[in-house]
Every structure is written in C-alpha cells, then in structure tokens.
Amino acid sequence: MLRETRKKELKEKVFYEAIRLFSEKGIDEVSVSEITIACGIAKGTFYNYFPTKESVLLYFGQLQMERITRIQEFSHMDVKQKIIELFSRLTTMYGEYPKLLKFAVAEVFKSSEIIDDEMNAIQQFKDLLINLLKEEIECEQVRVHGELEDIASILLGTYFTSVMMWVYDEQSETALLQSINRRTSLLLEQFIVKMED
C-alpha cells in the first residue's frame, strides 16, 4: 500500500510540474526532459506514468474521478446532498492550483485528441450519476421527472459550463463552488422529488 501511495504521489508531482511548465512556456515548447529535470526523475520514470507529454493533461480527469468514486462515504446523505457533494469534491480541486488547472482545463477543451479521451471520464461520471439516481428510485426514496440519462446530462452540462465560465473569467474558486452548488440545487429541485414529499 505504501508503494502504491508513493507511486501516486510521484505521478501527481509529474502532473503538476508538467502543467506548470506548460502554462509558463506552452506545451509545444516543453520537452519531456524539462519535465523530468523539474521532477528529479529519469525519462523512463516519466514514460512509466505517461506515454506522451500531452497525455499528462488527461490525468486531470483521472484525479477528478478518484475524488468522487468513494461514494459510499455519502451513505448518510439523501440523493440531492450526494450529488451536490460529488460536484463540490470535483470543484475543490480547482482551488488547490487555480492558475495551473485553468490552463489544463483550457488545453483539454482546445485539443480534439485529448477531449476524445476526456469523454471517457465524463461518461464514467454520467454513469455514476445515473446509477446513484437508479438506486434511490429502486429503494423508493425518490421519484424523478424525466429520463435519467437526460437528468445526468443536464447536470453535467451545467457543471462543465460553470467550469468553462470560470476558466475564462476572473471568478474566484469560491465563486465557482457557490455557482455550481446553486445551479445544481436548482436543477435537482426540478427533477427529483422525495417520496415522502
């Protein structure tokens, strides 16, 4: 377990150093050698984690998914609270390295090659939302207005629109979190009804 933790920490270090260099110089101007020197690792170590320097950007989606896949931690919450907590966990990452992550998000959305891969993480998140809602419906905790696929898509669309507005505006990370929570709550009120209501 300790070895896995160290590997994960090193991969994150490579990710953040690469993003820092990319944001300073531009992706095309940064070599793998520069990244490895900044991290104090060998080139082979870099390639153990990332097949190309561009693939570093895809790790952002993986980090995001790791933050939300431990959904069992939310067992004491109702479904609306769970969904808001999922979006909050995704959003808190932006506050840790705001300038770097704004750059990373902007680059992901610019590159058709990268966005295709990023769609896998988005689909995983969508499936997570759908399954969460299905479980609550099957347990007769809630009923929904609309198709689950549509509800999950609208929630994700709202989340990503908010993030894109944050990337291109001068909003603070706190304002981003507040706007996502406000918009998500508004949508959930429209789509989800507790059975006892």
Side-chain angles (χ1 to χ4, degrees):
M1 190 64 162
L2 184 58
R3 180 183 162 111
E4 287 304 311
T5 301
R6 284 187 184 148
K7 286 172 74 174
K8 184 178 181 312
E9 287 171 355
L10 181 55
K11 189 171 186 177
E12 285 187 24
K13 178 180 179 181
V14 172
F15 169 75
Y16 287 114
E17 282 297 323
I19 296 299
R20 181 184 63 77
L21 289 167
F22 294 162
S23 68
E24 289 172 3
K25 300 180 175 186
I27 293 174
D28 293 337
E29 302 304 317
V30 176
S31 67
V32 170
S33 293
E34 283 181 84
I35 297 168
T36 58
I37 290 167
C39 295
I41 60 171
K43 266 190 179 180
T45 303
F46 176 90
Y47 288 115
N48 283 339
Y49 294 114
F50 301 104
T52 65
K53 67 179 181 181
E54 292 80 10
S55 66
V56 169
L57 293 171
L58 296 175
Y59 187 56
F60 181 64
Q62 294 169 16
L63 285 172
Q64 292 284 68
M65 285 308 296
E66 286 173 17
R67 289 192 173 224
I68 62 172
T69 51
R70 296 183 304 274
I71 199 163
Q72 66 274 11
E73 296 172 11
F74 310 155
S75 59
H76 62 287
M77 298 178 184
D78 70 31
V79 70
K80 291 178 185 179
Q81 291 170 322
K82 287 177 186 177
I83 291 171
I84 289 170
E85 180 62 24
L86 287 173
F87 283 117
S88 293
R89 285 195 179 192
L90 287 176
T91 307
T92 57
M93 187 172 180
Y94 296 109
E96 293 168 13
Y97 300 93
K99 287 178 75 176
L100 295 183
L101 294 181
K102 278 186 178 191
F103 173 82
V105 170
E107 287 301 313
V108 166
F109 281 99
K110 278 188 215 171
S111 169
S112 60
E113 180 183 314
I114 294 172
I115 197 69
D116 287 346
D117 287 334
E118 190 67 14
M119 287 305 294
N120 292 330
I122 293 169
Q123 185 61 50
Q124 282 181 311
F125 188 34
K126 184 176 171 183
D127 292 343
L128 179 69
L129 289 171
I130 290 170
N131 290 331
L132 182 60
L133 290 167
K134 270 185 193 172
E135 287 173 17
E136 295 290 320
I137 292 167
E138 288 168 3
C139 294
E140 299 184 352
Q141 298 296 311
V142 299
R143 68 178 191 275
V144 297
H145 301 294
E147 299 293 323
L148 296 182
E149 174 107 7
D150 294 337
I151 294 168
S153 294
I154 291 166
L155 287 167
L156 283 172
T158 300
Y159 171 77
F160 284 110
T161 299
S162 299
V163 170
M164 289 308 296
M165 289 168 68
W166 172 75
V167 166
Y168 292 105
D169 285 345
E170 293 300 317
Q171 266 188 328
S172 70
E173 296 69 49
T174 303
L176 172 64
L177 180 58
Q178 289 170 346
S179 65
I180 287 173
N181 286 345
R182 191 177 59 251
R183 292 167 185 156
T184 303
S185 295
L186 183 65
L187 290 171
L188 292 172
E189 290 301 317
Q190 300 301 310
F191 294 126
I192 300 172
V193 179
K194 286 185 185 179
M195 291 301 263
E196 63 265 22
D197 286 355

